[in-house]
Coordinates of all heavy atoms in Angstrom, one line a residue:
M1 N 116.7 98.9 74.0 CA 115.4 99.2 74.7 C 114.8 98.0 75.3 O 114.3 98.0 76.4 CB 114.5 99.8 73.6 CG 113.2 100.3 74.1 SD 113.4 101.7 75.1 CE 111.8 102.4 75.2
L2 N 114.9 96.9 74.6 CA 114.4 95.6 75.1 C 115.2 95.2 76.4 O 114.6 94.8 77.4 CB 114.5 94.5 74.1 CG 114.0 93.1 74.5 CD1 112.5 93.2 74.8 CD2 114.3 92.1 73.4
R3 N 116.5 95.4 76.4 CA 117.3 95.0 77.5 C 116.9 95.8 78.8 O 116.7 95.3 79.9 CB 118.8 95.2 77.2 CG 119.7 94.9 78.3 CD 121.1 95.0 77.8 NE 122.0 94.8 79.0 CZ 122.8 95.7 79.4 NH1 122.9 96.9 78.9 NH2 123.6 95.5 80.5
Y4 N 116.7 97.1 78.6 CA 116.3 98.0 79.7 C 114.9 97.6 80.2 O 114.7 97.6 81.4 CB 116.3 99.5 79.2 CG 115.8 100.5 80.2 CD1 116.6 100.8 81.3 CD2 114.5 101.0 80.1 CE1 116.1 101.7 82.2 CE2 114.1 101.9 81.0 CZ 114.9 102.3 82.1 OH 114.4 103.1 83.0
S5 N 114.0 97.3 79.3 CA 112.6 96.9 79.7 C 112.7 95.6 80.5 O 112.0 95.5 81.5 CB 111.7 96.8 78.5 OG 111.6 98.1 77.9
L6 N 113.5 94.7 80.0 CA 113.6 93.4 80.7 C 114.2 93.6 82.1 O 113.8 92.9 83.1 CB 114.4 92.4 79.9 CG 113.6 91.9 78.7 CD1 114.6 91.0 77.9 CD2 112.4 91.1 79.1
M7 N 115.2 94.5 82.2 CA 115.8 94.8 83.5 C 114.8 95.4 84.5 O 114.7 95.0 85.7 CB 117.0 95.6 83.3 CG 118.2 94.9 82.6 SD 119.5 96.0 82.2 CE 120.4 96.1 83.8
R8 N 114.0 96.3 84.0 CA 112.9 96.9 84.8 C 111.9 95.8 85.3 O 111.5 95.8 86.4 CB 112.2 98.0 84.1 CG 113.0 99.3 84.1 CD 112.1 100.5 83.8 NE 111.2 100.7 85.0 CZ 110.4 101.7 85.1 NH1 110.4 102.6 84.1 NH2 109.6 101.8 86.1
L9 N 111.5 95.0 84.3 CA 110.6 93.9 84.7 C 111.2 93.0 85.7 O 110.5 92.5 86.6 CB 110.2 93.1 83.4 CG 109.2 92.0 83.6 CD1 107.8 92.6 84.0 CD2 109.0 91.3 82.3
G10 N 112.5 92.7 85.6 CA 113.2 91.9 86.6 C 113.2 92.5 88.0 O 113.0 91.8 89.0
I11 N 113.4 93.8 88.0 CA 113.4 94.5 89.3 C 112.0 94.4 89.9 O 111.8 94.1 91.1 CB 113.9 95.9 89.2 CG1 115.4 95.9 88.9 CG2 113.6 96.7 90.4 CD1 116.0 97.3 88.6
F12 N 111.0 94.6 89.1 CA 109.6 94.5 89.6 C 109.3 93.1 90.1 O 108.7 92.9 91.1 CB 108.6 94.9 88.5 CG 107.2 94.6 88.8 CD1 106.5 95.5 89.7 CD2 106.5 93.6 88.3 CE1 105.2 95.2 90.1 CE2 105.2 93.3 88.7 CZ 104.6 94.2 89.6
A13 N 109.7 92.1 89.3 CA 109.4 90.7 89.7 C 110.2 90.4 91.0 O 109.6 89.7 91.9 CB 109.9 89.7 88.6
G14 N 111.4 90.8 91.2 CA 112.1 90.6 92.4 C 111.4 91.3 93.6 O 111.3 90.7 94.7
C15 N 111.0 92.5 93.4 CA 110.2 93.2 94.5 C 108.9 92.5 94.8 O 108.6 92.3 96.0 CB 110.0 94.6 94.1 SG 111.4 95.7 94.1
F16 N 108.3 92.0 93.8 CA 107.0 91.3 94.0 C 107.2 90.0 94.8 O 106.5 89.8 95.8 CB 106.3 90.9 92.7 CG 105.1 90.2 92.8 CD1 103.9 90.8 93.1 CD2 105.0 88.8 92.6 CE1 102.7 90.2 93.3 CE2 103.8 88.1 92.8 CZ 102.7 88.8 93.1
L17 N 108.2 89.2 94.4 CA 108.5 88.0 95.2 C 108.9 88.3 96.6 O 108.5 87.6 97.5 CB 109.5 87.2 94.4 CG 109.1 86.6 93.1 CD1 110.3 85.9 92.4 CD2 107.9 85.6 93.3
A18 N 109.8 89.3 96.8 CA 110.2 89.6 98.1 C 109.1 90.1 99.0 O 108.9 89.7 100.2 CB 111.3 90.7 98.1
L19 N 108.2 91.0 98.5 CA 107.1 91.5 99.2 C 106.1 90.4 99.5 O 105.4 90.3 100.5 CB 106.5 92.7 98.5 CG 107.4 93.9 98.5 CD1 106.8 95.0 97.6 CD2 107.6 94.5 99.9
W20 N 105.9 89.5 98.5 CA 104.9 88.4 98.7 C 105.4 87.5 99.9 O 104.6 87.1 100.7 CB 104.8 87.6 97.4 CG 103.8 86.5 97.5 CD1 104.0 85.2 97.9 CD2 102.4 86.6 97.2 NE1 102.8 84.5 97.9 CE2 101.8 85.3 97.5 CE3 101.6 87.6 96.8 CZ2 100.5 85.1 97.3 CZ3 100.3 87.4 96.6 CH2 99.7 86.1 96.9
G21 N 106.7 87.3 99.9 CA 107.3 86.5 101.0 C 107.1 87.2 102.3 O 106.8 86.5 103.3
L22 N 107.3 88.5 102.4 CA 107.1 89.3 103.6 C 105.7 89.2 104.1 O 105.4 89.2 105.3 CB 107.6 90.7 103.5 CG 109.1 90.9 103.4 CD1 109.5 92.3 103.0 CD2 109.8 90.4 104.7
V23 N 104.7 89.3 103.1 CA 103.3 89.2 103.5 C 103.0 87.8 104.0 O 102.2 87.6 104.9 CB 102.4 89.6 102.3 CG1 101.0 89.3 102.5 CG2 102.6 91.1 102.0
Y24 N 103.6 86.8 103.3 CA 103.3 85.4 103.7 C 103.7 85.1 105.1 O 103.0 84.4 105.8 CB 104.0 84.5 102.7 CG 103.7 83.0 102.9 CD1 102.5 82.5 102.5 CD2 104.7 82.2 103.5 CE1 102.2 81.1 102.7 CE2 104.4 80.9 103.7 CZ 103.2 80.3 103.3 OH 102.9 79.0 103.5
V25 N 104.9 85.6 105.5 CA 105.4 85.3 106.8 C 104.8 86.3 107.9 O 105.0 86.1 109.1 CB 107.0 85.4 106.9 CG1 107.6 84.3 106.0 CG2 107.5 86.7 106.6
G26 N 104.1 87.3 107.4 CA 103.4 88.2 108.4 C 104.2 89.4 108.7 O 103.8 90.2 109.6
A27 N 105.3 89.7 108.1 CA 106.1 90.9 108.4 C 105.4 92.1 107.8 O 105.5 93.2 108.4 CB 107.5 90.8 107.7
L28 N 104.6 92.0 106.8 CA 103.8 93.1 106.2 C 102.3 92.7 106.4 O 102.0 91.5 106.3 CB 104.1 93.3 104.8 CG 105.5 93.9 104.5 CD1 105.7 94.0 103.0 CD2 105.6 95.3 105.1
P29 N 101.4 93.6 106.5 CA 100.0 93.3 106.7 C 99.4 92.7 105.4 O 99.8 93.1 104.3 CB 99.3 94.6 107.1 CG 100.3 95.7 106.6 CD 101.6 95.1 106.6
R30 N 98.5 91.8 105.5 CA 97.7 91.3 104.4 C 96.7 92.4 103.9 O 96.3 93.2 104.7 CB 97.0 90.0 104.8 CG 97.9 88.9 105.1 CD 97.2 87.6 105.3 NE 98.0 86.6 105.8 CZ 98.7 85.8 105.0 NH1 98.7 85.9 103.7 NH2 99.5 84.8 105.5
G31 N 96.3 92.2 102.7 CA 95.3 93.2 102.2 C 93.9 92.9 102.9 O 93.7 92.0 103.6
L32 N 93.0 93.7 102.6 CA 91.6 93.6 103.2 C 90.8 92.5 102.4 O 90.7 92.6 101.1 CB 90.9 94.9 103.1 CG 91.5 96.0 103.9 CD1 90.8 97.3 103.6 CD2 91.5 95.7 105.4
G33 N 90.4 91.6 103.0 CA 89.6 90.5 102.4 C 90.4 89.7 101.3 O 91.4 89.2 101.7
D34 N 89.9 89.7 100.1 CA 90.6 89.0 99.0 C 91.5 89.9 98.2 O 91.9 89.5 97.1 CB 89.5 88.4 98.1 CG 88.7 87.3 98.7 OD1 89.2 86.7 99.7 OD2 87.5 87.1 98.3
S35 N 91.9 91.1 98.7 CA 92.7 92.0 97.9 C 94.2 91.8 98.2 O 95.0 92.7 97.9 CB 92.3 93.4 98.3 OG 92.6 93.7 99.6
N36 N 94.6 90.7 98.7 CA 96.0 90.4 99.0 C 96.9 90.6 97.8 O 97.9 91.2 97.8 CB 96.2 89.1 99.6 CG 97.5 88.9 100.2 OD1 98.2 89.8 100.6 ND2 98.0 87.7 100.3
L37 N 96.5 90.0 96.6 CA 97.3 90.1 95.4 C 97.4 91.5 94.9 O 98.5 92.0 94.6 CB 96.7 89.2 94.3 CG 97.4 89.2 93.0 CD1 98.9 88.7 93.1 CD2 96.7 88.4 92.0
L38 N 96.3 92.2 95.0 CA 96.3 93.6 94.5 C 97.2 94.5 95.5 O 98.0 95.3 95.0 CB 94.9 94.2 94.5 CG 94.7 95.6 94.1 CD1 95.2 95.8 92.6 CD2 93.3 96.1 94.2
W39 N 97.2 94.2 96.7 CA 98.0 94.9 97.7 C 99.5 94.7 97.4 O 100.3 95.6 97.4 CB 97.7 94.4 99.1 CG 98.7 94.7 100.2 CD1 99.5 93.8 100.8 CD2 99.0 96.0 100.7 NE1 100.3 94.4 101.7 CE2 100.1 95.8 101.7 CE3 98.6 97.3 100.6 CZ2 100.6 96.8 102.4 CZ3 99.2 98.3 101.3 CH2 100.2 98.0 102.2
V40 N 99.9 93.5 97.2 CA 101.3 93.1 96.9 C 101.7 93.7 95.5 O 102.8 94.3 95.4 CB 101.5 91.6 96.9 CG1 102.9 91.3 96.5 CG2 101.2 91.1 98.3
L41 N 100.8 93.7 94.5 CA 101.1 94.3 93.2 C 101.4 95.8 93.4 O 102.4 96.4 92.8 CB 100.0 94.1 92.2 CG 100.0 92.7 91.6 CD1 98.7 92.5 90.7 CD2 101.2 92.5 90.7
L42 N 100.5 96.5 94.0 CA 100.6 98.0 94.2 C 101.9 98.3 95.0 O 102.6 99.2 94.7 CB 99.4 98.6 94.9 CG 98.1 98.6 94.0 CD1 97.0 99.1 94.8 CD2 98.4 99.5 92.8
L43 N 102.1 97.6 96.1 CA 103.3 97.8 96.9 C 104.6 97.5 96.1 O 105.6 98.2 96.2 CB 103.3 96.9 98.1 CG 104.2 97.3 99.3 CD1 104.0 98.7 99.7 CD2 104.0 96.4 100.4
S44 N 104.6 96.5 95.2 CA 105.7 96.2 94.4 C 106.0 97.3 93.4 O 107.1 97.7 93.1 CB 105.5 94.9 93.6 OG 105.3 93.8 94.4
I45 N 104.9 97.9 92.8 CA 105.1 99.0 91.9 C 105.8 100.2 92.6 O 106.7 100.9 92.1 CB 103.8 99.5 91.3 CG1 103.3 98.4 90.3 CG2 103.9 100.8 90.6 CD1 101.9 98.6 89.8
V46 N 105.3 100.5 93.8 CA 105.8 101.6 94.6 C 107.3 101.4 95.0 O 108.1 102.3 95.0 CB 104.9 101.9 95.9 CG1 105.5 102.8 96.8 CG2 103.5 102.4 95.4
V47 N 107.6 100.2 95.3 CA 109.0 99.9 95.7 C 109.9 99.8 94.5 O 111.1 100.3 94.6 CB 109.0 98.6 96.6 CG1 110.5 98.2 96.8 CG2 108.3 98.8 97.9
S48 N 109.5 99.2 93.4 CA 110.4 99.0 92.3 C 110.7 100.2 91.5 O 111.7 100.3 90.9 CB 109.8 97.9 91.4 OG 108.7 98.3 90.7
A49 N 109.8 101.2 91.5 CA 110.0 102.4 90.7 C 111.2 103.2 91.2 O 112.1 103.5 90.3 CB 108.7 103.3 90.8
P50 N 111.4 103.5 92.5 CA 112.6 104.2 92.8 C 113.9 103.4 92.7 O 115.0 103.8 92.4 CB 112.4 104.7 94.3 CG 111.2 103.9 94.7 CD 110.5 103.5 93.6
L51 N 113.7 102.0 92.9 CA 114.9 101.2 92.7 C 115.3 101.1 91.3 O 116.5 101.2 91.0 CB 114.5 99.7 93.2 CG 114.5 99.5 94.7 CD1 114.0 98.0 94.9 CD2 115.9 99.7 95.3
S52 N 114.4 101.1 90.3 CA 114.7 101.1 88.9 C 115.4 102.4 88.6 O 116.3 102.5 87.8 CB 113.5 100.9 88.1 OG 112.9 99.7 88.3
F53 N 114.9 103.5 89.1 CA 115.4 104.8 88.8 C 116.9 104.9 89.2 O 117.7 105.5 88.5 CB 114.6 105.9 89.6 CG 115.1 107.3 89.3 CD1 114.8 107.9 88.0 CD2 115.8 108.0 90.2 CE1 115.2 109.2 87.7 CE2 116.2 109.3 89.9 CZ 115.9 109.9 88.7
V54 N 117.2 104.4 90.4 CA 118.6 104.4 90.9 C 119.5 103.3 90.2 O 120.6 103.6 89.8 CB 118.6 104.3 92.4 CG1 120.0 104.1 92.9 CG2 117.9 105.5 93.1
L55 N 119.0 102.1 90.2 CA 119.9 101.0 89.7 C 120.1 101.0 88.2 O 121.1 100.5 87.8 CB 119.2 99.7 90.2 CG 119.2 99.4 91.7 CD1 118.4 98.1 92.0 CD2 120.5 99.4 92.3
L56 N 119.2 101.5 87.5 CA 119.3 101.5 86.0 C 119.6 102.8 85.4 O 119.4 103.1 84.2 CB 118.0 101.0 85.4 CG 117.5 99.6 85.8 CD1 116.2 99.2 85.2 CD2 118.6 98.6 85.5
R57 N 120.3 103.7 86.2 CA 120.6 105.0 85.7 C 121.6 105.0 84.5 O 121.4 105.7 83.5 CB 121.2 105.8 86.8 CG 121.7 107.2 86.4 CD 122.1 108.0 87.5 NE 120.9 108.0 88.5 CZ 120.8 108.8 89.5 NH1 121.7 109.7 89.8 NH2 119.7 108.8 90.3
K58 N 122.6 104.1 84.6 CA 123.6 104.0 83.5 C 122.9 103.5 82.2 O 123.2 104.1 81.1 CB 124.7 103.1 83.9 CG 125.9 103.1 82.9 CD 127.0 102.2 83.2 CE 127.1 101.5 84.5 NZ 128.2 100.5 84.6
Q59 N 122.1 102.5 82.3 CA 121.4 102.0 81.1 C 120.5 103.0 80.5 O 120.4 103.2 79.3 CB 120.7 100.7 81.5 CG 121.5 99.5 81.7 CD 122.1 99.5 83.1 OE1 121.7 100.3 84.0 NE2 123.0 98.6 83.4
R60 N 119.8 103.8 81.4 CA 118.8 104.8 80.9 C 119.6 105.9 80.2 O 119.1 106.4 79.2 CB 118.0 105.3 82.1 CG 116.9 106.2 81.7 CD 116.0 106.6 82.8 NE 116.7 107.2 83.9 CZ 117.0 106.6 85.1 NH1 116.5 105.4 85.3 NH2 117.7 107.2 86.0
D61 N 120.7 106.4 80.8 CA 121.5 107.4 80.1 C 122.0 107.0 78.8 O 122.0 107.7 77.8 CB 122.6 107.9 81.1 CG 122.1 108.6 82.3 OD1 120.9 109.1 82.3 OD2 122.9 108.7 83.3
S62 N 122.5 105.7 78.7 CA 123.0 105.2 77.5 C 121.9 105.1 76.4 O 122.1 105.5 75.2 CB 123.6 103.8 77.7 OG 124.0 103.2 76.5
L63 N 120.7 104.7 76.8 CA 119.6 104.6 75.9 C 119.2 105.9 75.4 O 118.9 106.1 74.2 CB 118.4 103.9 76.6 CG 117.2 103.6 75.8 CD1 117.5 102.7 74.6 CD2 116.1 103.0 76.7
S64 N 119.1 106.9 76.3 CA 118.7 108.3 75.9 C 119.8 108.9 74.9 O 119.4 109.6 74.0 CB 118.5 109.2 77.1 OG 119.6 109.4 77.8
A65 N 121.1 108.6 75.2 CA 122.1 109.1 74.3 C 121.9 108.5 72.9 O 122.1 109.2 71.9 CB 123.5 108.8 74.8
D66 N 121.6 107.2 72.8 CA 121.4 106.6 71.5 C 120.2 107.2 70.8 O 120.2 107.5 69.6 CB 121.1 105.1 71.7 CG 122.3 104.3 72.1 OD1 123.4 104.9 72.0 OD2 122.2 103.2 72.6
I67 N 119.1 107.5 71.5 CA 117.9 108.1 70.9 C 118.2 109.5 70.4 O 117.8 109.9 69.3 CB 116.7 108.1 71.9 CG1 116.3 106.6 72.1 CG2 115.6 108.9 71.4 CD1 115.3 106.5 73.2
V68 N 119.0 110.3 71.2 CA 119.3 111.6 70.8 C 120.1 111.6 69.5 O 119.9 112.4 68.6 CB 120.1 112.4 71.9 CG1 120.7 113.6 71.4 CG2 119.1 112.7 73.1
G69 N 121.1 110.6 69.4 CA 121.9 110.5 68.2 C 121.0 110.2 67.0 O 121.2 110.8 65.9
K70 N 120.1 109.3 67.1 CA 119.2 108.9 66.0 C 118.3 110.1 65.6 O 118.1 110.3 64.4 CB 118.3 107.7 66.4 CG 119.1 106.4 66.5 CD 118.2 105.3 66.9 CE 119.1 104.0 67.1 NZ 118.2 102.9 67.5
V71 N 117.8 110.9 66.6 CA 117.0 112.0 66.2 C 117.8 113.1 65.5 O 117.4 113.7 64.6 CB 116.3 112.6 67.5 CG1 115.7 113.9 67.3 CG2 115.3 111.6 68.1
D72 N 119.1 113.3 66.0 CA 119.9 114.3 65.3 C 120.2 113.9 63.9 O 120.2 114.7 63.0 CB 121.2 114.5 66.1 CG 121.0 115.3 67.4 OD1 119.9 115.9 67.5 OD2 121.9 115.2 68.3
R73 N 120.5 112.6 63.7 CA 120.8 112.1 62.3 C 119.5 112.3 61.4 O 119.6 112.7 60.3 CB 121.2 110.7 62.3 CG 122.7 110.5 62.8 CD 123.2 109.1 62.5 NE 122.4 108.1 63.2 CZ 122.6 107.7 64.4 NH1 123.6 108.2 65.2 NH2 121.9 106.7 64.9
A74 N 118.4 112.0 62.0 CA 117.1 112.2 61.2 C 116.9 113.7 60.9 O 116.5 114.0 59.7 CB 115.9 111.6 62.0
K75 N 117.2 114.6 61.8 CA 117.0 116.0 61.5 C 118.0 116.4 60.5 O 117.6 117.3 59.6 CB 117.3 116.8 62.8 CG 116.2 116.8 63.8 CD 116.5 117.7 65.0 CE 115.4 117.7 66.0 NZ 115.8 118.5 67.2
D76 N 119.2 115.9 60.5 CA 120.2 116.3 59.5 C 119.8 115.8 58.1 O 119.9 116.6 57.1 CB 121.6 115.7 59.8 CG 122.2 116.4 61.0 OD1 121.8 117.5 61.4 OD2 123.2 115.7 61.6
R77 N 119.3 114.6 58.0 CA 118.8 114.1 56.7 C 117.6 114.9 56.2 O 117.5 115.2 55.0 CB 118.4 112.6 56.8 CG 119.5 111.7 56.9 CD 119.1 110.3 56.6 NE 118.0 109.8 57.5 CZ 118.2 109.2 58.7 NH1 119.4 108.9 59.1 NH2 117.1 108.9 59.4
L78 N 116.7 115.3 57.1 CA 115.6 116.1 56.7 C 116.0 117.5 56.2 O 115.5 118.0 55.2 CB 114.6 116.3 57.9 CG 113.3 117.0 57.7 CD1 112.5 116.4 56.6 CD2 112.5 117.2 58.9
H79 N 117.0 118.1 56.9 CA 117.5 119.4 56.5 C 118.2 119.3 55.1 O 118.0 120.1 54.3 CB 118.5 119.9 57.5 CG 119.1 121.2 57.2 ND1 118.3 122.4 57.1 CD2 120.3 121.6 56.8 CE1 119.1 123.4 56.8 NE2 120.3 122.9 56.6
E80 N 118.9 118.2 54.9 CA 119.6 118.0 53.6 C 118.5 117.8 52.5 O 118.7 118.4 51.4 CB 120.5 116.8 53.6 CG 121.7 117.0 54.4 CD 122.5 115.7 54.5 OE1 122.2 114.7 53.8 OE2 123.5 115.6 55.3
N81 N 117.5 117.1 52.8 CA 116.4 116.9 51.8 C 115.7 118.2 51.5 O 115.3 118.5 50.3 CB 115.4 115.9 52.2 CG 116.0 114.5 52.1 OD1 116.9 114.2 51.4 ND2 115.4 113.6 52.9
R82 N 115.5 119.0 52.4 CA 114.8 120.3 52.2 C 115.6 121.3 51.5 O 115.1 122.1 50.7 CB 114.4 120.9 53.6 CG 113.2 120.3 54.2 CD 112.9 121.0 55.5 NE 111.7 120.3 56.1 CZ 111.2 120.6 57.3 NH1 111.8 121.6 58.0 NH2 110.2 120.0 57.8
T83 N 116.9 121.3 51.7 CA 117.8 122.3 51.0 C 118.3 121.8 49.7 O 118.9 122.6 48.9 CB 119.0 122.6 51.9 OG1 119.8 121.4 52.2 CG2 118.6 123.2 53.2
R84 N 118.1 120.6 49.3 CA 118.5 120.1 48.0 C 117.6 120.7 46.9 O 116.4 120.8 47.0 CB 118.4 118.5 47.9 CG 118.9 117.9 46.7 CD 118.7 116.4 46.6 NE 119.0 115.8 47.8 CZ 118.6 114.6 48.1 NH1 117.8 113.9 47.3 NH2 118.9 114.0 49.3
E85 N 118.3 121.1 45.8 CA 117.5 121.7 44.7 C 116.9 120.6 43.9 O 117.4 119.5 43.7 CB 118.4 122.5 43.8 CG 118.9 123.7 44.5 CD 119.7 124.6 43.5 OE1 119.4 124.6 42.3 OE2 120.6 125.3 44.0
D86 N 115.7 120.9 43.4 CA 115.0 119.9 42.5 C 115.7 119.8 41.2 O 116.1 120.8 40.6 CB 113.6 120.3 42.3 CG 112.8 120.2 43.6 OD1 113.1 119.4 44.4 OD2 111.8 121.0 43.8
A87 N 115.8 118.6 40.6 CA 116.4 118.5 39.3 C 115.3 118.7 38.3 O 114.2 118.3 38.4 CB 117.0 117.1 39.2
L88 N 115.7 119.4 37.2 CA 114.7 119.6 36.1 C 114.9 118.7 35.0 O 115.6 118.2 34.5 CB 114.8 121.1 35.6 CG 114.4 122.1 36.6 CD1 114.7 123.5 36.1 CD2 112.9 122.0 36.9

């Protein structure tokens, strides 16, 4: 989970730096007044979300398979505990 989160953060940081550079050279418009940082942050979120969805598909599927396995094992243990007879 930590690895996946760090990879998402890395994609966001890369998008932020790339977009900041594009705004700095004038390829993208600057924000209104002093809102330049907010503009770049919002644009970075919008750009990094679909990139993360596509680029991290394998890691996300692996992580969800691990979670499903853990939930199934917990359900099995709960079922075993419920069906066990009490000792007198």
Side-chain angles (χ1 to χ4, degrees):
M1 185 70 162
L2 179 64
R3 182 174 173 245
Y4 176 76
S5 297
L6 289 174
M7 291 173 80
R8 281 201 68 175
L9 185 63
I11 289 174
F12 172 76
C15 287
F16 179 79
L17 291 174
L19 292 171
W20 185 269
L22 289 172
V23 168
Y24 183 75
V25 298
L28 290 175
R30 295 188 187 273
L32 299 173
D34 293 333
S35 68
N36 191 28
L37 179 63
L38 182 62
W39 162 252
V40 175
L41 281 173
L42 290 175
L43 195 56
S44 298
I45 290 171
V46 169
V47 170
S48 69
L51 283 175
S52 295
F53 184 74
V54 172
L55 296 176
L56 300 179
R57 180 171 303 193
K58 188 181 354 176
Q59 288 82 8
R60 188 175 54 252
D61 289 344
S62 172
L63 183 62
S64 67
D66 291 343
I67 291 172
V68 166
K70 289 178 183 179
V71 168
D72 287 343
R73 286 191 299 274
K75 283 182 181 179
D76 290 340
R77 283 194 309 265
L78 182 61
H79 179 68
E80 288 174 11
N81 287 339
R82 284 184 179 172
T83 58
R84 186 183 316 159
E85 291 187 28
D86 293 331
L88 292 176

